[in-house]
Amino acid sequence: MLAILTGCVSGLGISIPLQLPEQCHKEQFFNSASLRCQACGNNQHRSPSGLACTCDHGFTMTDLGSPVVQCSPCNGPVSEDQRRCLRCTQVEGDCQCGAGKTRVENLNNLTTSCFTCSPDTLGIPASPICGLCPESFYAVTHSCHCPSTQLAGGVCFTRTDAAGVSGSLPQDSVWFKTYLDSSFLGCMKYSNLTACQLLANMVALDAGRADSKAVHLYQLAASQQPPLPYLPGLYQSTDRPTFPGGLTFGSNEKLPFMLASYNAIGQFLGWEDVTGGVLQICPDTQPRLNTAYLFGTTYQHSCSISVQKLLTKYPTPVFHQLFLQHHSEDGTTMVWPVPTQSQSPGPSSSVHSVQRFFLVDGLTGRASSLASPPVSIHYLSSLRISVHIPTSGPAAKAPLQLSLHYRTARVAENASVQVSFAVAYSMDEDPMHLATSISVAVLSVLSLLVTLLETSSWSRRSGQPTLNFTTLIKFFAFLSGNLANTFFLVTFGTGIYWLVAFKGQRSIVTAVLPSPDGTIEVYFKSFVSLAFILKALQLLHVLVVQLSIDIFLIDWERPQNKPSGSAASSSPSAWRRLLVANEWNELQTVRKTSPVLQLLVALLLLQVVGLVNLASSDLQVTLQPGRDGLPIPTSPILRYAIVTAVWLGLGLLQLLVYHLFYERCVEDKLRQFVDLCSVSNVSVLVLMCRCYGYYLHGRSVHGYAEVSIETLRNNLRNEEEDRCARRGLEPQSDVQVFEAALTERVRQQLDRVFLPLAELNQRRRHGGGAERQAQTARVSHNTNTLLCLFLQHALKDMDYVVKDKVALERIMKCEFQQPVERSMFYRDKDGVAFGEVLCCGKELLLLTFDMLLFSVIDLASQDLVLAAVLTYIVQQVLDIVRVHVSRRNLSSKTLVDQCFLI
């Protein structure tokens, strides 16, 4: 027994070809046991069910339950049940009964004969009785005979010319040729409900044709007085449909759509709900299909499907009219017809507002007969439900709109078509667009005023009081940075507003996201792009300024007398200046934040934790991607808001940790550099403009820096215990960093000192040699001497005063008093103002540039990983450029050879 069972089920482990019953040929049936097509016997063909065989005409059939029956030939007629051979008792011999007759069978003696019906009855095929004719025959001819000139679609009429209405029909369409006129006449003459519905169906099929006969017939029927009682309305009565007042919808509430459905011949199929994928051609799971009707969820689904599958799923068209279910003030359940706009294919097509629609039409394309397969099909390529907010009151735009787009496809073996289904939400964007425009205008004016102030300050600092080309370049450079901040503030504020206003709705939905590619979204993307481009120009300008600064190293060390017996005193060592120059070179790329850490944590929060999923276009507040596995479209406005908010939050957190913890407990490189200058007995003068910059006072209070380790430790201990003078430029002052506003005379003296070296470099661009080295040494010595005398107040015509900036000067970052006779040194009590010429002084600029670069790449590619990689590459390229260019500039300005810069 076990062996028998094993043999019976052994075939289940083998893969077999997938075959469907409809794939079997006419001489085959589908064997449900083997799940394969199997050949029928001789003189047999497939039964209507496709699961068995039946005998050909002229054969009797013995059916014992096997799909393959037994067939025997007959010399005469065969009984209607195909079980017996009969003998015809008529003289003609074949018993093929004509019109007005019916065939009668006698199974007792196995005979058959033709029986003549009365004039007012008609023989019924496959029935031994005579039946009544259609009522239209009696109404016109009072008999069962209707002349062919008066017969249309199986209905008898007094005249069949359809009241002389002309128009075009779909080419070679048997369906229209057979039933169009009869449906019109039946609706007009007999008030036939099915005929009226059939006429409406044909209008829906052919309404896009410019000269459609179906539309002309419907218009003629609709113009009758009194109105025809059973003609359905297909067009809106007014241009602005009256929407039910007071309708509101909550977050993720199901839209109560209902469908009135009709079959191809006009019979009413009933009311049905839209859920379950009734209107969605693309296959999917039920929960994902039903997501489309959750209020506030922007839905988009498209797919490619074969024409054969469309014909299999929709063998005959089903017609629908879309309604919105609601309740009146007294609680009565009401339905409101949703306005519909359709566009049909073809050069003569137009947009029409027929309320009845279909998904797939395989009837119109049948040319030879209604039983033959269609040559072409009409299918709904795009269905879009538009919801306009608010829905509770009257508005210039209908709150609901159904938009349809049809196409035609030839029926071929491997032909496929593209179909889509979408639900979109919109609202009046004019108020928000106006608010955005006002914000941009106001902030742009403020940016212009700030730019004028910055340009004026630069002009005074550079000693260029007159307007020239350089001043214009500076003006546009400052303006680009300020406008970049303007566009960023507007876009960031817009994104945060929509994020809170849209995602924060929990009861009644009163706001939806701006429509894709609408006015607000287009302007938003433009502003983001402008912010990035202008911020990039601002960064380029800052890099040019920082990489072309003038920097002077002032060595205060003096020759020390050697012990007795020595012939000469020792010269100061150059290593102190080299050490300060190298430390300055290392400060070029120091930042208060870590760009790599910023990228990694931002990517972790956005991609891994899933914060970017909050940018979905539905009302769900979730970190999971999509609903029921369905990818919900993301809003670029919300995505930008989330990305920038995360980026700014991480950047500000890093700055907070840096200022509160890192620079207090770990290291503060800027103040450490000032301490290094004091220990090295070297001061630094940095000019970022021609006559403006920063002075770092590094003159040692001990006189000499080239001392032993023990002496150095004692000196530092004395400073710690306040047993010596303080390091500041002024007596009894600790302020070592100053903003320096030099007079034009001081700047001219510096240029005059450097002039011989510049002339030598111009004459010998490609040469080094002893002459250049000697000239460099002389210029370095003269520059050091000049600045030392200047800082010691030893030059009467080049003196300076030390003062504090007033509060307004610090806020506006400018100097109200122009240095004419004496230079001005403004105290910087924090000691880090010179960071303005370094990366760390432009941290917010670099942070916003990285953020905008990351955001622009992400918006363009919708890929956070790609945005992080490209942002990192750009950061590294900028660092490399800065290191190399700043190194060359440092060497040329401090006269320290590049070979000594590490």
Side-chain angles (χ1 to χ4, degrees):
M1 177 65 71
L2 181 61
I4 295 175
L5 292 177
T6 304
C8 292
V9 301
S10 62
L12 294 179
I14 303 174
S15 298
I16 61 174
L18 175 61
Q19 292 184 338
L20 303 177
E22 56 267 20
Q23 293 177 335
C24 298
H25 297 299
K26 184 178 180 181
E27 294 80 12
Q28 293 177 328
F29 73 97
F30 185 77
N31 188 343
S32 59
S34 63
L35 301 179
R36 300 178 184 179
C37 295
Q38 185 173 327
C40 294
N42 295 329
N43 305 314
Q44 298 178 23
H45 61 275
R46 186 176 58 188
S47 66
S49 66
L51 304 178
C53 298
T54 187
C55 294
D56 294 340
H57 180 70
F59 289 82
T60 59
M61 180 175 62
T62 301
D63 185 2
L64 298 177
S66 173
V68 181
V69 295
Q70 299 177 9
C71 299
S72 302
C74 286
N75 294 325
V78 181
S79 62
E80 293 294 336
D81 59 5
Q82 282 191 291
R83 297 178 62 184
R84 294 291 185 269
C85 292
L86 302 178
R87 179 175 56 84
C88 183
T89 59
Q90 300 291 345
V91 178
E92 293 81 356
D94 57 357
C95 288
Q96 297 294 329
C97 303
K101 294 182 179 182
T102 186
R103 199 175 82 166
V104 179
E105 296 180 355
N106 188 344
L107 298 180
N108 292 326
N109 56 11
L110 299 179
T111 60
T112 181
S113 61
C114 292
F115 176 77
T116 303
C117 298
S118 62
D120 58 348
T121 60
L122 187 65
I124 300 176
S127 175
I129 62 175
C130 297
L132 295 176
C133 302
E135 289 295 338
S136 61
F137 284 57
Y138 298 125
V140 176
T141 63
H142 306 288
S143 67
C144 283
H145 174 70
C146 183
S148 60
T149 57
Q150 296 178 252
L151 191 64
V155 183
C156 193
F157 298 100
T158 305
R159 51 185 299 182
T160 59
D161 57 355
V165 176
S166 61
S168 61
L169 296 177
Q171 185 177 5
D172 299 330
S173 175
V174 177
W175 178 257
F176 273 80
K177 292 178 180 178
T178 304
Y179 292 109
L180 178 57
D181 288 345
S182 62
S183 63
F184 168 75
L185 294 171
C187 182
M188 288 281 293
K189 302 298 182 182
Y190 302 130
S191 295
N192 187 301
L193 175 60
T194 303
C196 292
Q197 294 287 7
L198 179 56
L199 177 61
N201 289 349
M202 292 195 168
V203 172
L205 291 173
D206 200 41
R209 193 181 300 274
D211 188 30
S212 172
K213 184 178 180 180
V215 175
H216 293 167
L217 291 176
Y218 178 85
Q219 292 173 346
L220 178 61
S223 64
Q224 298 299 309
Q225 293 296 333
L228 299 178
Y230 303 118
L231 183 67
L234 295 181
Y235 297 90
Q236 298 175 7
S237 57
T238 59
D239 293 336
R240 290 185 57 184
T242 304
F243 187 76
L247 285 187
T248 56
F249 300 96
S251 174
N252 293 312
E253 179 182 349
K254 177 184 172 297
L255 284 168
F257 286 129
M258 298 291 293
L259 288 172
S261 301
Y262 308 84
N263 64 8
I265 62 175
Q267 294 177 340
F268 181 62
L269 300 178
W271 291 95
E272 59 180 327
D273 195 81
V274 292
T275 55
V278 178
L279 298 180
Q280 291 150 287
I281 299 178
C282 292
D284 211 333
T285 61
Q286 294 293 334
R288 294 172 65 172
L289 292 174
N290 295 339
T291 303
Y293 303 107
L294 295 180
F295 191 82
T297 300
T298 299
Y299 182 92
Q300 176 72 39
H301 192 196
S302 61
C303 66
S304 178
I305 188 170
S306 68
V307 175
Q308 294 297 335
K309 285 187 177 180
L310 288 180
L311 289 175
T312 302
K313 187 176 181 179
Y314 306 98
T316 58
V318 177
F319 296 85
H320 306 284
Q321 286 182 248
L322 185 63
F323 294 86
L324 179 71
Q325 181 180 340
H326 65 98
H327 296 280
S328 62
E329 295 179 356
D330 58 0
T332 304
T333 302
M334 310 286 288
V335 290
W336 178 75
V338 177
T340 303
Q341 282 193 347
S342 303
Q343 183 175 3
S344 301
S348 60
S349 64
S350 61
V351 177
H352 59 86
S353 58
V354 175
Q355 301 301 293
R356 187 169 297 190
F357 62 95
F358 60 93
L359 301 184
V360 179
D361 168 30
L363 283 178
T364 305
R366 301 185 182 186
S368 57
S369 67
L370 294 178
S372 62
V375 178
S376 62
I377 64 168
H378 299 288
Y379 66 96
L380 183 59
S381 63
S382 172
L383 187 149
R384 180 185 179 91
I385 299 176
S386 302
V387 183
H388 187 73
I389 302 297
T391 60
S392 57
K397 186 177 181 180
L400 292 173
Q401 177 78 41
L402 178 64
S403 301
L404 310 170
H405 188 83
Y406 288 95
R407 292 185 182 274
T408 301
R410 303 288 296 180
V411 178
E413 184 176 355
N414 298 322
S416 297
V417 295
Q418 192 77 18
V419 294
S420 66
F421 180 94
V423 180
Y425 293 81
S426 64
M427 63 184 300
D428 188 7
E429 300 180 358
D430 290 340
M432 188 63 188
H433 178 57
L434 179 61
T436 304
S437 301
I438 293 175
S439 301
V440 171
V442 172
L443 292 178
S444 297
V445 172
L446 293 178
S447 299
L448 181 61
L449 295 178
V450 172
T451 300
L452 291 174
L453 177 63
E454 291 176 339
T455 307
S456 175
S457 176
W458 175 87
S459 179
R460 291 196 302 272
R461 290 174 175 180
S462 301
Q464 297 184 13
T466 59
L467 181 65
N468 53 29
F469 181 74
T470 305
T471 306
L472 291 178
I473 295 298
K474 286 290 181 179
F475 172 81
F476 288 111
F478 293 137
L479 183 62
S480 66
N482 294 322
L483 287 181
N485 296 333
T486 293
F487 289 126
F488 168 69
L489 289 175
V490 171
T491 53
F492 181 72
T494 301
I496 296 298
Y497 167 81
W498 284 112
L499 183 63
V500 175
F502 179 69
K503 291 289 186 176
Q505 300 176 103
R506 288 293 172 266
S507 55
I508 303 302
V509 178
T510 58
V512 296
L513 293 172
S515 57
D517 299 326
T519 304
I520 291 182
E521 189 168 302
V522 169
Y523 273 84
F524 181 85
K525 292 179 179 179
S526 301
F527 289 161
V528 171
S529 302
L530 286 174
F532 169 68
I533 294 173
L534 294 175
K535 185 61 68 174
L537 293 176
Q538 181 188 14
L539 178 61
L540 179 62
H541 169 249
V542 169
L543 286 176
V544 171
V545 171
Q546 291 185 349
L547 297 180
S548 59
I549 59 173
D550 293 330
I551 180 169
F552 305 94
L553 301 181
I554 307 167
D555 190 355
W556 297 98
E557 194 78 5
R558 294 294 175 261
Q560 301 184 31
N561 294 325
K562 286 189 175 183
S564 59
S566 300
S569 59
S570 62
S571 301
S573 173
W575 291 109
R576 292 174 297 100
R577 297 180 74 248
L578 297 181
L579 178 62
V580 172
N582 275 284
E583 287 299 321
W584 179 267
N585 190 44
E586 291 181 5
L587 288 178
Q588 294 300 315
T589 56
V590 171
R591 292 185 58 174
K592 298 179 181 178
T593 62
S594 171
V596 176
L597 179 64
Q598 178 88 6
L599 282 172
L600 292 178
V601 178
L603 200 60
L604 174 68
L605 294 177
L606 293 171
Q607 188 76 32
V608 180
V609 177
L611 290 179
V612 73
N613 295 318
L614 295 175
S616 60
S617 298
D618 60 357
L619 291 169
Q620 290 288 328
V621 181
T622 177
L623 301 181
Q624 300 302 319
R627 185 204 306 268
D628 297 319
L630 179 67
I632 301 297
T634 59
S635 167
I637 296 179
L638 298 188
R639 191 179 181 98
Y640 175 82
I642 293 171
V643 169
T644 53
V646 169
W647 194 278
L648 284 180
L650 291 176
L652 295 179
L653 179 61
Q654 284 200 74
L655 289 176
L656 187 65
V657 171
Y658 178 84
H659 288 294
L660 296 182
F661 173 75
Y662 188 84
E663 72 177 5
R664 295 172 183 267
C665 303
V666 182
E667 64 176 349
D668 184 356
K669 290 186 177 295
L670 295 184
R671 292 184 174 91
Q672 286 178 353
F673 179 75
V674 178
D675 291 339
L676 176 65
C677 292
S678 297
V679 173
S680 303
N681 202 14
V682 175
S683 296
V684 179
L685 177 63
V686 181
L687 298 180
M688 60 183 300
C689 296
R690 174 176 169 79
C691 299
Y692 174 83
Y694 301 94
Y695 172 65
L696 282 63
H697 186 62
R699 186 174 186 180
S700 175
V701 297
H702 308 289
Y704 296 98
E706 296 179 2
V707 295
S708 65
I709 294 295
E710 183 179 356
T711 304
L712 178 61
R713 289 176 178 174
N714 291 332
N715 291 341
L716 294 177
R717 188 179 301 112
N718 291 335
E719 289 187 43
E720 182 180 4
E721 296 174 358
D722 201 12
R723 290 185 297 180
C724 60
R726 298 186 177 182
R727 292 180 175 181
L729 177 64
E730 301 171 286
Q732 301 303 317
S733 173
D734 290 325
V735 179
Q736 294 181 260
V737 180
F738 300 87
E739 295 182 48
L742 305 180
T743 61
E744 181 65 24
R745 181 173 180 78
V746 174
R747 182 67 208 200
Q748 290 176 355
Q749 290 297 326
L750 288 173
D751 293 341
R752 186 176 294 110
V753 171
F754 267 81
L755 184 60
L757 181 61
E759 292 177 348
L760 179 62
N761 290 336
Q762 192 171 13
R763 291 197 307 269
R764 302 183 178 181
R765 290 183 179 272
H766 307 288
E771 183 181 0
R772 187 178 186 281
Q773 294 179 4
Q775 188 66 48
T776 300
R778 284 193 296 272
V779 170
S780 178
H781 177 269
N782 294 339
T783 304
N784 193 80
T785 303
L786 174 64
L787 292 176
C788 286
L789 294 175
F790 168 68
L791 293 171
Q792 291 176 340
H793 300 279
L795 302 175
K796 294 184 179 180
D797 55 346
M798 292 190 301
D799 201 1
Y800 66 93
V801 294
V802 180
K803 58 189 301 187
D804 289 322
K805 274 190 174 182
V806 298
L808 191 58
E809 284 180 320
R810 291 195 299 270
I811 294 174
M812 300 178 66
K813 294 184 178 180
C814 65
E815 299 77 36
F816 295 156
Q817 187 175 357
Q818 185 77 8
V820 179
E821 296 181 356
R822 292 186 299 178
S823 301
M824 298 182 184
F825 281 22
Y826 298 96
R827 301 181 186 92
D828 175 31
K829 297 181 180 180
D830 292 333
V832 293
F834 67 96
E836 287 292 316
V837 299
L838 302 170
C839 273
C840 56
K842 298 296 182 180
E843 193 62 50
L844 288 179
L845 169 62
L846 296 172
L847 187 68
T848 52
F849 172 76
D850 292 342
M851 175 192 61
L852 289 173
L853 174 62
F854 184 89
S855 300
V856 167
I857 298 174
D858 176 60
L859 288 179
S861 64
Q862 298 291 298
D863 191 334
L864 292 169
V865 176
L866 177 63
V869 171
L870 293 181
T871 302
Y872 175 77
I873 292 175
V874 171
Q875 290 173 348
Q876 295 303 308
V877 170
L878 290 177
D879 285 348
I880 293 174
V881 171
R882 184 180 185 92
V883 168
H884 284 77
V885 178
S886 63
R887 179 174 174 157
R888 293 182 57 185
N889 181 69
L890 180 64
S891 175
S892 63
K893 299 299 176 58
T894 60
L895 304 180
V896 174
D897 199 288
Q898 288 193 49
C899 63
F900 296 109
L901 297 178
I902 303 175

